Amino acid sequence: GSPFTLGKAQAHLQASSLGPCIKFVHSDPLCFLNNTTEHYSTAVLAQCSWYFTKPKVFSKILPARLSSVDRVCISEYSLTVSDHRAIPHVLATLAQASLECRKLTSQSNVRTVMSPIHLRNTAATTGWTVAKQTTQNVPEGMLDGKWEVGWVLSGDFMAEVEKAVQDGRERLVVLAAGDAVLGAYGLLQDQGESVRTMDVWVATLNPVTA
């Protein structure tokens, strides 16, 4: 990550006044939830759902928290833009997703794309209701959009497509998605503009009361 790696960010937090209250646990989320008896006021899912290997991970996490947390706060990329400079980021995300869903295993930043609509619907079917939600523009210094676009436009991405996608028609879908990223990126370059990161959806979920 930039400007801080995950380790640097954790060290910064632990060195703060909140440090004694924070414990970082490196564990599979479902294993952790199924083996803790703690009750929490708030569970936070911050920009993490796309790392899940399958959609069912999210649908299992929410009911696992139903009896042991008062609310869930969630943020994820919205797949929408309030700034046209973020369009290449949305396209790059979908290009990556179209590749990664054809792999048996993935180490990508985009493994399972879930839109806010899907996340809300999943919450509704697992005992949660959306108390409030909004979509926010992100700061200029948030570089995820540039990183994801750069990856899709790299030769390494194309090599991954050739290796992982055997069916000719499916390969054309992924390649076309990559071409869309290239086209959108080129339009920005023609205007002397840089890629921005797409908007973020944030929401608070409360348990459904009988």
Side-chain angles (χ1 to χ4, degrees):
S2 176
F4 299 109
T5 64
L6 178 61
K8 289 178 180 178
Q10 291 179 344
H12 176 76
L13 291 172
Q14 288 184 314
S16 72
S17 59
L18 295 176
C21 304
I22 298 174
K23 178 183 179 182
F24 293 105
V25 179
H26 183 248
S27 174
D28 176 87
L30 288 174
C31 289
F32 173 78
L33 295 175
N34 291 330
N35 289 283
T36 182
T37 57
E38 297 285 344
H39 185 90
Y40 302 93
S41 61
T42 306
V44 179
L45 300 174
Q47 310 295 108
C48 63
S49 69
W50 290 3
Y51 287 97
F52 296 155
T53 55
K54 296 179 180 179
K56 67 180 181 181
V57 175
F58 181 71
S59 63
K60 288 183 177 180
I61 283 177
L62 289 182
R65 288 291 80 198
L66 195 57
S67 62
S68 58
V69 71
D70 297 330
R71 64 178 181 174
V72 172
C73 294
I74 182 171
S75 70
E76 192 51 87
Y77 288 118
S78 64
L79 297 176
T80 61
V81 302
S82 55
D83 186 324
H84 72 278
R85 293 175 294 172
I87 292 174
H89 185 201
V90 175
L91 295 175
T93 295
L94 298 177
Q96 286 191 57
S98 67
L99 168 61
E100 299 303 321
C101 71
R102 292 172 169 84
K103 296 181 180 179
L104 294 178
T105 60
S106 173
Q107 296 298 315
S108 171
N109 291 336
V110 184
R111 303 174 193 180
T112 302
V113 171
M114 289 182 276
S115 69
I117 292 174
H118 178 83
L119 295 171
R120 288 197 302 266
N121 290 343
T122 301
T125 60
T126 54
W128 297 87
T129 184
V130 177
K132 57 183 178 180
Q133 61 180 323
T134 187
T135 302
Q136 299 179 348
N137 192 271
V138 302
E140 289 274 3
M142 197 166 181
L143 304 178
D144 295 55
K146 291 183 179 180
W147 294 335
E148 304 304 346
V149 169
W151 166 242
V152 171
L153 297 182
S154 71
D156 289 340
F157 178 80
M158 294 303 172
E160 285 286 316
V161 174
E162 294 298 321
K163 178 181 177 181
V165 187
Q166 302 303 316
D167 181 84
R169 294 177 65 195
E170 291 184 356
R171 182 181 297 168
L172 282 176
V173 170
V174 182
L175 293 176
D179 289 343
V181 177
L182 179 62
Y185 178 69
L187 291 174
L188 291 185
Q189 283 194 311
D190 291 344
Q191 299 298 320
E193 297 177 326
S194 299
V195 173
R196 284 208 63 186
T197 298
M198 75 175 88
D199 297 344
V200 170
W201 171 73
V202 293
T204 299
L205 309 179
N206 289 339
V208 175
T209 56

